[in-house]
Amino acid sequence: MEASPALSRIGLAGLAVMGQNLALNIAEKGFPISVYNRTTSKVDETVDRAHNEGNLPLFGQYNPRDFVLSIERPRSVIILVKAGAPVDQTIAALSANGRGLLYLGMGVSGGEEGARHGPSLMPGGSHQAYTNVQDILRKVAAQVEDGPCVTYIGEGGSGNFVKMVHNGIEYGDMQLISEAYDVLKNVGGLTNEELGDIFSEWNRGELESFLIEITADIFRVKDDLADGFLVDKLLDKTGMKGTGKWTVQQAAELSVAAPTIAASLDCRYLSGLKEEREKAEEALKLAGFKEEIGSVTSGIDKKRLIDDVRQALYASKICSYAQGMNLLRAKSVEKGWNLNLGELARIWKGGCIIRAVFLDRIKNAYQRNQSLPNLIVDPDFAKEMVQRQAAWRRVVGLAVAAGISTPGMCASLSYFDTYRRGRLPANLVQAQRDLFGAHTYERVDRPGAFHTEWTKLAQKSGSGVGALN
């Protein structure tokens, strides 16, 4: 269809993979849509796809003016181009003047499959702009038993911020799953076939999620270029687009602990040092380093190890989600967004990469207590953490003994152990800061700020720094 017989309900500019799929999704739901891309071949490609997928009401436009004029008022346009200058250029091309523009920043999760068949949508910004397109977004989003996976997030950049933190949680999830794989493969000696079966089984229980499901599939794919399984031929070097880094930066800015997400980011950095790691392996062997995996694996109870790793993975994931939710709350307070954490958990239940059955339980936890300080202390999750901690500690201990790094699981366990303790060794850090910088300290038994001449008093007692001279 070259020209629209009537005005389109909405427009979409930017026809890379996500843009094309989202446009087709909108058209398939019965909303006539105009599409535009600076590279005209992309417009033709999208129009052809719309024709081949059932004569969908999608109309290609080849210049910004025709594109804008083909949309009914109030004109709503989805811009799906690369962040930064391309966004500014597209907005400039589409608006002869800047007056009367309403902006909605929308996180979209689910990859190309989600965009085509139902993503999780996180729109934030102008509430009027949201109202203008709400009927479309609710139809286009993934559908779960308690509604479409979209909600008005809040003012300003809240939609994109929520999507960013979603991606940070995703980093943590993927890291934790890779550690579970590492332990099962190298300590348990499991084959790819066994791993595929185990992950499929896990996906029928409390760990049921998109990432566990696709991991089971990955283990089953044979290499079509050589013998064996494809997963074993992949270079152990992870790419990234920056959302994990931004999440960790924001956590630091807001003084929110997010160690699991930070550990996953560090692992991506370290994975990039492939040649350095190979040289380090050689250098440490020459220095006498001996692998301990063999001594740890002898006499291992595989069945128990598999169950322990399942429990360790679940408990670690709860910590990762808790960190993400606390970061969202802190930003919400700073910006006055009034984010509804339970509703965010709900819209992540379908369409998105971190969709998981236990998001329903996270939603319920925040519905029970809107001011819940941490998922770990929700009565249901607290019980589960307590039940799983022995298995969690066994897995981390086993991995440490075998020399297998599990930074995500270790970070989650440390987070749990730090958060649950009423008293930490921070009293000593307070004393050190007061000694070398007169920063003062507080006491547990009386109010106020105190300062002590630690070195003088230590010398008086006949020990301490002065007594060494």
Side-chain angles (χ1 to χ4, degrees):
M1 287 180 257
E2 282 306 308
S4 161
L7 291 177
S8 291
R9 175 72 175 76
I10 193 167
L12 189 145
L15 296 171
V17 175
M18 289 292 282
Q20 277 195 24
N21 282 327
L22 191 58
L24 291 163
N25 183 352
I26 291 168
E28 189 177 59
K29 297 301 186 296
F31 299 101
I33 181 170
S34 296
V35 298
Y36 167 73
N37 197 83
R38 279 201 309 182
T39 311
T40 54
S41 60
K42 287 283 183 193
V43 179
D44 294 332
E45 195 182 299
T46 312
V47 169
D48 287 346
R49 280 187 66 187
H51 177 72
N52 295 333
E53 293 182 25
N55 273 331
L56 302 176
L58 181 145
F59 309 100
Q61 304 293 341
Y62 294 89
N63 67 66
R65 181 177 162 75
D66 289 350
F67 171 64
V68 170
L69 293 176
S70 71
I71 305 161
E72 69 179 49
R73 293 173 183 270
R75 295 189 174 108
S76 300
V77 175
I78 297 171
I79 296 172
L80 257 172
V81 296
K82 200 172 178 185
V87 174
D88 297 334
Q89 288 159 8
T90 306
I91 291 173
L94 297 181
S95 57
N97 57 60
R99 283 173 303 188
L101 286 182
L102 303 177
Y103 187 73
L104 196 66
M106 184 166 73
V108 180
S109 179
E112 54 183 293
E113 192 69 17
R116 180 66 186 83
H117 300 292
S120 174
L121 300 172
M122 296 154 253
S126 161
H127 191 265
Q128 180 59 55
Y130 176 71
T131 307
N132 293 346
V133 292
Q134 182 180 6
D135 58 332
I136 300 175
L137 299 183
R138 287 178 66 83
K139 280 265 171 49
V140 163
Q143 307 292 317
V144 290
E145 76 284 348
D146 48 6
C149 291
V150 61
T151 191
Y152 175 67
I153 302 289
E155 296 291 329
S158 58
N160 292 116
F161 190 90
V162 167
K163 161 66 174 160
M164 178 197 74
V165 174
H166 161 288
N167 284 25
I169 294 171
E170 183 186 306
Y171 270 55
D173 251 3
M174 292 167 78
Q175 176 63 30
L176 292 167
I177 291 169
S178 74
E179 291 173 18
Y181 154 65
D182 202 4
V183 171
L184 291 173
K185 180 184 177 184
N186 290 304
V187 178
L190 273 68
T191 64
N192 286 319
E193 288 101 328
E194 288 173 315
L195 287 164
D197 290 344
I198 286 158
F199 274 78
S200 285
E201 190 184 320
W202 285 356
N203 197 47
R204 291 191 287 272
E206 64 188 12
L207 286 172
E208 183 190 327
S209 61
F210 173 69
L211 286 169
I212 295 289
E213 180 189 335
I214 65 166
T215 304
D217 290 342
I218 287 166
F219 289 129
R220 296 197 168 102
V221 175
K222 297 271 178 69
D223 187 356
D224 59 351
L225 300 177
D227 291 338
F229 287 85
L230 183 56
V231 70
D232 298 322
K233 310 290 168 54
L234 268 60
L235 185 66
D236 52 323
K237 199 170 169 179
T238 313
M240 67 190 110
K241 287 192 173 172
T243 41
K245 178 171 85 174
W246 301 336
T247 305
V248 173
Q249 285 172 334
Q250 279 294 310
E253 288 285 330
L254 292 160
S255 304
V256 172
T260 311
I261 298 170
S264 68
L265 182 66
D266 287 340
C267 278
R268 292 200 183 192
Y269 294 148
L270 285 164
S271 79
L273 306 177
K274 175 69 173 169
E275 287 179 15
E276 276 186 48
R277 288 186 288 113
E278 287 175 338
K279 285 174 183 165
E281 187 174 23
E282 287 306 311
L284 289 160
K285 267 183 193 162
L286 285 172
F289 183 84
K290 287 184 175 57
E291 287 283 3
E292 295 296 332
I293 291 179
S295 60
V296 171
T297 54
S298 56
I300 206 104
D301 180 340
K302 263 166 72 162
K303 200 172 174 194
R304 181 175 168 181
L305 178 66
I306 292 163
D307 195 57
D308 277 358
V309 171
R310 175 185 60 78
Q311 295 187 63
L313 179 55
Y314 184 82
S316 297
K317 274 164 71 86
I318 291 173
C319 289
S320 186
Y321 281 71
Q323 292 160 30
M325 288 302 191
N326 286 358
L327 175 53
L328 288 172
R329 178 194 283 115
K331 192 69 174 180
S332 179
V333 169
E334 183 199 64
K335 294 283 192 182
W337 286 339
N338 200 23
L339 295 182
N340 182 333
L341 299 182
E343 181 68 353
L344 296 183
R346 187 194 68 77
I347 67 166
W348 289 343
K349 281 166 56 180
C352 73
I353 305 300
I354 65 170
R355 62 183 183 263
V357 75
F358 86 154
L359 277 160
D360 200 47
R361 316 222 349 264
I362 293 178
K363 178 195 82 170
N364 294 339
Y366 285 112
Q367 281 181 343
R368 276 193 294 273
N369 179 3
Q370 278 191 350
S371 55
L372 181 72
N374 196 301
L375 281 176
I376 289 168
V377 296
D378 169 73
D380 284 7
F381 282 123
K383 227 174 272 174
E384 292 189 339
M385 301 297 274
V386 171
Q387 287 164 356
R388 285 160 182 71
Q389 62 155 345
W392 196 6
R393 294 180 198 287
R394 281 196 295 271
V395 170
V396 168
L398 202 60
V400 169
I404 291 173
S405 59
T406 52
M409 285 187 183
C410 286
S412 282
L413 183 56
S414 295
Y415 179 79
F416 172 73
D417 278 338
T418 306
Y419 190 72
R420 68 172 177 78
R421 289 179 68 198
R423 184 156 173 86
L424 294 170
N427 54 316
L428 181 58
V429 178
Q430 286 282 73
Q432 291 167 335
R433 292 181 76 243
D434 189 49
L435 185 150
F436 65 66
H439 292 296
T440 74
Y441 57 87
E442 291 176 280
R443 294 177 60 104
V444 294
D445 56 354
R446 61 198 67 194
F450 297 84
H451 169 61
T452 295
E453 296 291 337
W454 298 87
T455 307
K456 281 181 189 167
L457 292 172
Q459 284 168 349
K460 268 188 194 168
S461 66
S463 61
V465 180
L468 299 174
N469 295 329

